[in-house]
């Protein structure tokens, strides 16, 4: 047995452990994790709607390094894995996939081993394990170098087609832009069995061949004794889905090949510096395989002059990703924008007004460019616009190459409404040259100033912090919205159930609630679907659901997916109250 000493800074290891009806194995599983001589790890266990005593077993193993998610509706292994990775993992994390009925061998240096492997530059590992059913080692096989260089893994089959892959790890960022369609059936539902194979191929094809390692050391027990193992109870579905994974799939989509790396200039114009949160958001941003980024900031006081310099630089790259020095971009912004393959696409952020939700997206009316208000924009949509600000915008270099200099001109006027910004000037020239401009309303950016201006909220961050001392509760009763604070109940809005809370609260109210109570006569799921922003800021949710309500499980699962945990349930004669708290 190989024993390792700690020699490097501990990278965070995130162990993802989905399971269903595994109460017999959970204690051994958790103890094998807890034995590790390693501090920087997070263990996420997903109870996939078990109907045995699994939940009771796990209560003994709750601690600060373990998150337990209790699904109400069964989702399947791959859906659970991808969901928690997108919610909890960040760039630089080592993701370890260990099913809840499997467990590590008695060796407290396993996490240290993988930490050293990743410090050596590896980004994907697979194998080896001990078969409990056969009592034999299953040692991971290496691929030939030619196969690795050409990434023809699906063509090179071993005795069991795929190599022995337990225990499997991968750097978190390789999961972020995998098309979820790879793991769905013809009806668009996630497959519930046989996803190990397609996930293995999706990851190994993304990672540079020199960064892939077949681990020969046995670090886990493969529990093929479990009578609920997929190959025993879902063998037909497992074989169908596994066999599909051997079909050849283009490695990189959107006109990108493995031999042609696209280059992106990330450019920030500034006359002072860069906000730390802006830089942090760029550093944490996901960059898809097949692209490389080059970061530069451009200093000066005349904004159109700086942007013209950036445009000249951009001609040497494939894309310009323009980010203002006071904009915080989401982690998946670049990945989303590239996937659309548009001439130019922008995210959404608002101007720095306390009393307005004015976006930097424009439509043309009577010869004038007018700003969209955020409540005029469709949610989670890619829309064509007439102009946008360049605070968060991805533009193909062909746009700059086909527009005459100057690309940007700022024209001031005494009447500010007559001012023509350099951003709008550029967009006008782009459209004159038949380029189309788009915005993705799911890419929500913060705009930093003296206050932090957020889309969907008109309150500055300092004001919010002062108000959060109170525990404000919003009660949705029937079609009306009430607030409860300091035992005072006040009617806020009547007949509001036809509108989204994410729109109603920023428009009409001052504060986001710490708690929401919903008693809305079978409209609960509709309300929750329109309350993503509000729920993200909320700590507690109480939902009253009728006893015979058919969509009960979907309502409860929606809250689980929003990172809430069911704490208690109170049964009444005609309904039940479900109490949720944020994880």
């Amino acid at each position: 047995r190989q024993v390792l000493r700690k020699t490097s800074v501990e990278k965070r290891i995130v162990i993802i452990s989905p399971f269903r009806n595994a109460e017999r194995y959970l204690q051994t599983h958790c103890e094998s994790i807890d034995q590790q001589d390693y501090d920087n790890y997070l263990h996420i266990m997903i109870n996939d709607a078990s109907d045995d005593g699994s939940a009771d077993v796990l209560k003994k193993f709750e601690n600060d390094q373990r998150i337990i998610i209790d699904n109400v509706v069964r989702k399947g292994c791959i859906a659970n894995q991808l969901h928690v990775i997108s919610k909890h993992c960040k760039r630089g994390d080592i993701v370890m996939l260990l099913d809840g009925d499997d467990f590590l061998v008695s060796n407290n240096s396993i996490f240290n081993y993988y930490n050293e492997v990743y410090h050596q530059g590896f980004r994907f590992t697979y194998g080896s394990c001990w078969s409990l059913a056969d009592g034999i080692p299953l040692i991971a096989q290496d691929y030939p170098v030619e196969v690795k260089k050409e990434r023809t893994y699906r063509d090179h089959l071993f005795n069991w087609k795929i190599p022995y892959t337990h225990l499997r790890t991968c750097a978190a960022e390789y999961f972020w832009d995998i098309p979820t369609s790879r793991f769905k059936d013809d009806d668009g539902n996630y497959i519930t069995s046989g996803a190990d194979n397609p996930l293995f191929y999706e990851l190994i094809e993304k990672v540079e061949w020199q960064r892939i390692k077949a681990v020969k050391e046995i670090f886990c027990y493969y529990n093929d004794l479990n009578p609920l193992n997929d190959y025993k109870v879902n063998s037909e579905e497992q074989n169908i889905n596994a066999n599909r994974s051997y079909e050849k799939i283009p490695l990189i989509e959107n006109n990108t090949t493995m031999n042609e790396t696209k280059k992106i200039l990330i450019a920030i114009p500034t006359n002072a510096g860069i906000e730390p949160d802006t830089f942090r958001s760029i550093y944490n941003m996901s960059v898809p395989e097949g692209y490389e980024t080059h970061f530069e900031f451009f200093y000066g006081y005349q904004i159109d002059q700086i942007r013209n310099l950036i445009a000249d630089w951009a001609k040497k790259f494939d894309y310009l990703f323009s980010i203002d020095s006071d904009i915080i971009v989401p982690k998946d912004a670049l990945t989303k924008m590239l996937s659309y393959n548009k001439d130019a696409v922008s995210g959404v952020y608002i101007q720095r007004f306390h009393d307005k939700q004015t976006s930097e997206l424009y439509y043309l009316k009577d010869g004038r460019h007018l700003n969209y208000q955020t409540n005029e924009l469709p949610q989670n949509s890619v829309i064509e616009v007439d102009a946008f600000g360049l605070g968060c915008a991805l533009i193909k270099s062909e746009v700059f190459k086909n527009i005459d200099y100057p690309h940007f001109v700022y024209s001031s006027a005494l009447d500010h409404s007559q001012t023509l910004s350099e951003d709008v000037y550029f967009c006008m020239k782009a459209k004159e040259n038949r380029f189309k401009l788009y915005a993705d309303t799911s890419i929500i950016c913060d705009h930093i100033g003296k206050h932090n201006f957020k889309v969907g909220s008109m309150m500055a961050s300092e004001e919010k912090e002062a108000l959060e001392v109170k525990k404000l509760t919003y009660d949705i009763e029937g079609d009306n919205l009430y607030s409860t604070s300091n035992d005072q109940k006040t009617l806020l809005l009547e007949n509001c159930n036809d509108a989204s809370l994410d729109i109603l609260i920023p428009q009409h109210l001052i504060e986001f609630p710490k708690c929401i109570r919903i008693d809305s006569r079978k409209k609960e799921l509709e309300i929750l679907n329109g309350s993503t922003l509000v729920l993200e800021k909320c700590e507690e949710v109480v939902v009253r659901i009728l006893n015979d309500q058919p969509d009960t499980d979907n309502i409860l699962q929606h809250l689980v997916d929003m990172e809430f945990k069911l704490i208690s349930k109170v049964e009444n004669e005609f309904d039940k109250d479900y109490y949720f708290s944020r994880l």
Side-chain angles (χ1 to χ4, degrees), residues 40 67 69 187 234 325 361 388-389 418 436 453 472 534:
N40 191 16
I67 294 175
I69 298 172
D187 296 324
N234 296 314
S325 61
L361 303 177
F388 51 62
Q418 300 301 316
K436 292 187 176 182
F453 294 83
L472 177 66
V534 175

Side-chain angles (χ1 to χ4, degrees), residues 188-203:
N189 301 312
Y190 276 104
I191 58 178
T192 57
S193 180
D196 276 356
N197 285 34
L199 181 59
F200 173 83
Y201 286 123
E202 288 295 327
L203 292 173

Side-chain angles (χ1 to χ4, degrees), residues 350 357 445-447 452-458 464 537:
I350 61 172
Q357 282 277 300
C445 308
D446 289 357
H447 197 173
N452 193 352
F453 294 83
K454 293 178 175 288
V455 173
S457 171
M458 293 182 291
K464 284 185 184 178
K537 300 176 181 297

Side-chain angles (χ1 to χ4, degrees), residues 256-446:
T256 306
T257 67
M258 285 296 178
N259 296 323
E260 182 185 359
T261 300
K262 299 289 187 180
K263 297 181 179 180
I264 303 169
L265 171 63
I266 300 177
I268 294 187
T270 180
N271 63 1
I274 301 172
E275 291 287 346
D277 286 340
T278 297
F279 183 82
R280 188 178 297 111
S281 71
I282 295 171
Y283 179 81
N284 290 328
M285 191 167 55
S286 172
V287 179
E289 187 80 7
Y291 298 89
E292 67 178 33
T293 58
H294 180 86
F295 176 81
E296 288 284 344
F297 73 91
F298 295 78
Y299 183 83
Y301 286 94
Q302 191 170 328
I303 185 60
D304 51 0
Q305 183 183 41
I306 302 173
R307 291 207 189 277
N308 278 313
L309 177 60
I310 292 173
D312 190 57
W313 271 59
K315 295 174 184 178
K316 305 170 188 175
F317 293 80
D318 297 292
Y319 293 90
L320 166 67
F321 192 14
S322 174
I323 303 174
D324 282 353
S325 61
D326 53 3
I327 295 294
I328 300 175
V329 296
K331 181 173 70 174
D332 59 355
L334 181 58
T335 300
K336 285 183 175 180
M337 290 174 168
L338 288 168
S339 71
Y340 304 134
N341 195 26
K342 303 293 187 184
D343 298 326
V345 60
S346 168
V348 182
Y349 58 96
I350 61 172
Q351 296 179 351
R352 292 186 291 200
F353 296 119
H354 285 290
D355 57 344
K356 298 179 182 178
Q357 282 277 300
T358 303
S359 77
E360 281 287 355
L361 303 177
Y362 298 83
Y363 61 94
L364 195 60
K365 183 178 181 181
D366 299 329
R368 294 181 59 195
H369 284 86
L370 304 178
N371 299 80
Y372 281 101
Q373 301 301 307
T374 56
N375 62 359
E376 298 174 326
L377 295 169
Q379 296 183 22
N380 301 318
S381 302
V382 178
I383 61 172
E384 188 170 357
V385 295
D386 289 304
F388 51 62
L390 267 72
C392 175
L394 182 74
I395 304 167
K396 288 184 176 180
S397 61
E398 286 81 1
V399 178
F400 300 107
K401 293 174 183 177
N402 286 279
I403 295 178
D404 294 333
Y405 180 87
H407 302 86
F408 297 89
V409 173
Y410 181 86
S411 299
S412 60
L414 292 176
D415 181 356
H416 186 70
S417 65
Q418 300 301 316
T419 295
L420 179 65
S421 72
E422 81 287 352
D423 302 7
V424 173
Y425 177 91
F426 163 76
C427 291
M428 291 169 61
K429 292 193 72 169
K431 289 184 71 70
E432 287 171 4
N433 284 270
R434 299 189 177 182
F435 291 107
K436 292 187 176 182
L437 311 177
Y438 294 86
D440 180 356
T441 63
S442 74
I443 299 176
I444 304 296
C445 308
D446 289 357

Side-chain angles (χ1 to χ4, degrees), residues 231-250:
Y231 78 83
K232 296 179 181 179
V233 297
N234 296 314
S235 59
E236 183 177 355
E237 180 185 358
Q238 175 156 342
N239 289 334
I240 290 173
N241 293 326
N243 288 332
R244 283 180 177 176
S245 69
Y246 306 123
E247 299 172 3
K248 294 181 181 179
I249 297 175

